[in-house]
Amino acid sequence: MRRRQPTKTWGAVAAVTGAMLVVAAAPGRAPAADTSEGNRAGAPREAAVTLLVGRVLDEGRGSGDGPCAVRMFRPGLCSGWQEQRVRATARGMGAVLKEPSLGDAAQAARVEVLPTDSGGPLQIALADAGRLTDVTVRDGRGRHLAGALAPDSERWLNSEPLRAGETYTVQVGAQDAAGAPVGVTMAFRTAPPADGGRLTVEFGPRPGTYGAGEIVTAGLSRPVPADDLPARARVEQGLRVTSEPHVEGAWHWVDESTLHFRPRTYWPAHTVVRVHSRLDGVEVGNHDYGGPSDEVQFTIADRIEAVTDSATHRMTVRRNGRVIRTIPVTTGKAGFRTRSGIKVVLRKEPKVRMRGDTVGIKRGTSEFYDLPVSYATRVTWSGEYIHAAPWSVEAQGEENVSHGCTGMSTEDAAWFFETVREGDIVEVVNSGGEKMAPFDNGFGDWNVDWRTWLAGSALANIDGGRESSPNTPSRLHPTT
């Protein structure tokens, strides 16, 4: 038997948004009758459980915290909460409704309109004795919607947001009080997103092969304010970074329109990284929806690390942990000390004209320079390079005489230029220079300790500071 909540609640929001719920038994069979009431004496018992399918109605917007969002039905506590009773029977086991035809007359008789907030939770719980064994939710393209079964197996809650304007198929497996298997297949369609511009994402880097320090960037088409933590968390949840092998990593908000993703430690050599968005159709703010975005896939090469010790005037280059070359260098002299810390190769430029006035040195002064430079490997946008410096060969390995760049012989610079690639790691120690900035002059992200990095993640903060990551293997069931 299917009980409905008062019709006035439905009617109040039916014009705002809606979802359709279809209940289907196995193909060619009608849904099982409710045997909990009115069963004739002597009739054999039929395995069945009653499910509560709950949604937050649009009129309940703003009540997503507290008792309205916990993994338990709390009817009456939230004006926007509504539930539908659905019968799962033995005859519903194995039913698959891949492409629900909501216009079909036979199915239309079993359609209920659920006027829901598309950003609210989908919860499935048991109304009587039994246990849920499996809940699988797929969208129209067959992708799983992540969710969690409670430890007591009495309820299920989605852990990632639904998309607006999407059709979902829900298969529920359960056991009744006697342990007999039962099931039901449902389908529902969320309301289309509101008109207007969509939030899209442009990912970096471009497809290709990069070094172990490469940073994943996400540029949003519109800002998400820092004080809207739930919206930021929803954006992070929709920006997926997967890798083979798996790494622990997290997003960090650089500003209102930019996020960076990095692993806890450098990428392992030969990792394949895929970055994509699942925000299309997802409500990310106050009636603001995500749009489609292009995905990116790139590969990590051998792990190249170049560490320059300004005190010993030597650069040590390692490939996958093994020293492959030690190079005499010169770094920044007093007044022009080379930035300390970890940097990432940004670009390789075979020929560069370097002038002192581009870094604040006035023409006509003794420090001014105007030189053609070969084999220039850029590590900051402000003009710090590792490059050939034939004019300072005598100082290389002995003293620091540059204006902030790392200079070496033409032969060593050519070798370095051919060995490294974008994303490779360049670290400077004992220079006495200012610390490399994390975000505004290249990729200094690796100078941020992991705890501080997580503090820049809205998702980690909503989780109470727990070290979590969209790239951490999910503990939820089913997983994406």
Side-chain angles (χ1 to χ4, degrees), residues 327-405:
I327 302 173
V329 298
T330 183
T331 60
K333 60 186 177 182
F336 301 93
R337 298 297 187 191
T338 304
R339 293 173 186 81
S340 65
I342 304 169
K343 304 151 195 174
V344 170
V345 172
L346 301 175
R347 183 182 299 167
K348 299 197 297 180
E349 303 170 33
K351 296 286 185 181
V352 177
R353 181 185 176 190
M354 293 188 177
R355 300 197 319 272
D357 52 3
T358 63
V359 291
I361 301 174
K362 293 183 179 180
R363 288 178 177 271
T365 64
S366 60
E367 296 293 349
F368 181 79
Y369 56 89
D370 187 345
L371 296 167
V373 174
S374 301
Y375 303 115
T377 301
R378 181 188 283 268
V379 293
T380 74
W381 295 123
S382 63
E384 184 181 328
Y385 289 85
I386 299 166
H387 62 79
W391 55 86
S392 65
V393 169
E394 292 184 358
Q396 292 162 17
E398 300 294 333
E399 60 179 323
N400 296 318
V401 299
S402 84
H403 290 89
C405 290

Side-chain angles (χ1 to χ4, degrees), residues 11-323:
V13 292
V16 180
T17 181
M20 292 185 176
L21 178 69
V22 180
V23 182
R29 297 179 179 175
D34 186 344
T35 59
S36 61
E37 300 178 16
N39 193 15
R40 296 180 180 179
R45 172 191 168 279
E46 183 177 22
V49 296
T50 300
L51 305 175
L52 300 178
V53 181
R55 298 285 288 132
V56 172
L57 305 184
D58 192 78
E59 67 180 17
R61 180 177 295 277
S63 60
D65 297 328
C68 299
V70 297
R71 300 181 184 188
M72 183 180 298
F73 288 100
R74 300 290 182 90
L77 289 180
C78 306
S79 62
W81 181 260
Q82 191 58 277
E83 66 186 37
Q84 177 84 10
R85 289 181 175 252
V86 176
R87 197 71 163 164
T89 70
R91 283 182 284 176
M93 288 296 296
V96 178
L97 198 60
K98 292 183 178 179
E99 297 180 359
S101 176
L102 298 179
D104 181 85
Q107 290 191 13
R110 301 194 297 274
V111 170
E112 296 291 345
V113 176
L114 298 174
T116 64
D117 172 2
S118 61
L122 167 67
Q123 298 192 46
I124 298 171
L126 295 172
D128 42 31
R131 62 187 295 266
L132 294 173
T133 56
D134 184 69
V135 177
T136 301
V137 183
R138 293 185 178 90
D139 66 15
R141 286 185 278 181
R143 297 173 298 191
H144 286 90
L145 179 78
L149 277 172
D152 59 10
S153 298
E154 291 184 357
R155 54 195 173 274
W156 179 94
L157 173 70
N158 63 308
S159 61
E160 69 174 318
L162 299 166
R163 290 180 174 85
E166 182 69 84
T167 298
Y168 288 90
T169 300
V170 184
Q171 290 179 271
V172 181
Q175 291 178 351
D176 69 2
V182 296
V184 69
T185 296
M186 298 170 280
F188 65 92
R189 180 178 295 154
T190 55
D195 293 335
R198 305 284 193 90
L199 185 147
T200 58
V201 188
E202 183 176 354
F203 292 116
R206 302 176 306 276
T209 302
Y210 296 87
E214 185 61 30
I215 300 298
V216 178
T217 63
L220 307 182
S221 61
R222 61 179 62 185
V224 180
D227 58 1
D228 195 347
L229 198 61
R232 285 194 165 194
R234 184 157 287 182
V235 169
E236 285 183 52
Q237 195 174 30
L239 303 182
R240 300 301 181 88
V241 181
T242 58
S243 67
E244 181 58 43
H246 165 77
V247 301
E248 179 186 5
W251 289 101
H252 184 103
W253 287 81
V254 175
D255 55 42
E256 292 189 340
S257 301
T258 309
L259 297 89
H260 285 188
F261 180 97
R262 50 159 269 211
R264 186 168 188 165
T265 58
Y266 300 134
W267 296 101
H270 313 302
T271 298
V272 177
V273 184
R274 178 174 174 254
V275 189
H276 65 287
S277 170
R278 296 194 67 176
L279 290 175
D280 191 10
V282 170
E283 186 176 5
V284 295
N286 187 18
H287 294 287
D288 194 10
Y289 292 83
S293 303
D294 294 333
E295 69 174 55
V296 169
Q297 181 171 305
F298 63 93
T299 303
I300 302 299
D302 286 341
R303 178 166 161 173
I304 300 292
E305 298 174 80
V307 180
T308 296
D309 187 335
S310 293
T312 63
H313 318 292
R314 293 286 188 277
M315 172 190 282
T316 302
V317 183
R318 292 179 173 86
R319 175 183 284 120
N320 299 327
R322 183 176 64 86
V323 176

